[in-house]
Structures are given as C-alpha cells and as structure tokens.
Amino acid sequence: MKTILIVEDNTDIHNLLKEVLEKEKYRVVDSYSGTEALMLLEREKVDLILLDLMLPGLNGEEIIKKVKDIPIIVISAKISPEDKVNALLSGANDYLTKPFSTEELLARIQVQLRIKRNSKENIKDIELKYKQMVLNPENHTICIEGNPIYLTKTEYAIVKQLLLNPKQVVTKSKLLDFISQDTLDCDENSLKVHISNIRKKIRKVSEEQYIESVWGIGFKMHE
C-alpha cells in the first residue's frame, strides 16, 4: 500500500483529499502545516506528497526545497504561470490548481508513482523506444531508422531519462538529479550544451525533432 502525505490547512479540502485517496486504497498521513509536515517526514515513509503552497509555519515553496527523493504534486489556488514555473523549478513534480478534478488528481498521482518506480528499477538491460528512435543500453547508442548515433555517457543518461518519461516534461533540476546517478559531468549550464549536441547528432540522420524544450522548465520528447 502506497502512503501519501497531505499537507493542506483547509479542513474541507483536506478531508476531501483524504476521502478520495482512502477510497482508492492509499494510506494517508495528515499534516496541516509546513512545520508539521517536516516532522512527519522524519518518522514516516512516504511515497508521494500532496502540497498546498499557502501554509502556516513553513510555506509550500520552502517545503519543496527541503524534500528530496519524494514526488510532490502541488495543489494550490495560485494560478499564475510564474507561481507554477517557480514551484516546478524548485523541485515539484507536478502542479494542479484549485478547484481540481479528483479524477485528474488520481491520474497524476498514478503517473508520479509510476515514474518513481521506474527510476528505482534496474533498467540497464531494457531497450527503450520512441517513434523511430531506439536506445541501445549495451553500447550507449541510439538508432534512428537503422542509423546508429553514438552518445557520450552524459548524453546517453539524458536521453535515457527523457525516454523513460516520454509524455512528461522533465524539469532541469529533476533531469540533473536523475542523470547524476550515471554521470557527474553535468550542471545546469552544461545541460544545454549536451542537449544541443544530442540534437545535432540526431539532425545528421533524421529531419524529425525528437527533443522539445519547454521554456523555463525543462525538456520532453516531441510528440
């Protein structure tokens, strides 16, 4: 049974979330302030956090910066693009505005839990595919329409993480966290250079755009 921490000070919304989650057989841990949430995380094993931004004590933005390795879905009345971008760049995995559909929330929870599971699994021997692109883990290449493209260790780590989440925008901070498991040769400045080099290699064998930039947030596979 997966455990979800609700960090929400509005009692009505909190109770609604708890009812919906427990109906779906999730274990729920309750917190009504940012300070309480951090204390709970010290003793509770949590698989995902639903986080309001406007909280008593520590606010949601501060919580995001302090929490590592736990998916966070922000649920907030803040609807401006700036608020969303700031939360995502700080480390949140997803952002849902109030009022929200419970069906959409449950779908987003499933996506984040699946991503977390995939990131923990041993994927070295899995051949990942997207459109005409095939990632070969044995020799660190991608192959497009029969044309092999040789990648550096860092380039391979970047492409692998994008292919693991082909429908998802992978933020710069999350991408750096993911690929640091495979390579130390990357920071936010060099990430842009590595993406550019990957695109140049792809353009030599294909006219199709495979990697799409999401301005101010990160990258995703082009649909």
Side-chain angles (χ1 to χ4, degrees), residues 133-148:
M133 176 188 288
V134 179
L135 187 78
N136 188 328
E138 294 184 1
N139 55 16
H140 282 201
T141 65
I142 52 177
C143 189
I144 299 178
E145 299 179 2
N147 299 297

Side-chain angles (χ1 to χ4, degrees), residues 141-157:
T141 65
I142 52 177
C143 189
I144 299 178
E145 299 179 2
N147 299 297
I149 301 173
Y150 293 91
L151 304 174
T152 66
K153 185 176 182 179
T154 303
E155 291 168 355
Y156 174 82

Side-chain angles (χ1 to χ4, degrees), residues 91-106:
N93 298 74
D94 204 348
Y95 196 110
L96 195 60
T97 57
K98 300 175 182 177
F100 55 88
S101 159
T102 56
E103 290 82 4
E104 181 180 0
L105 172 63
L106 290 172

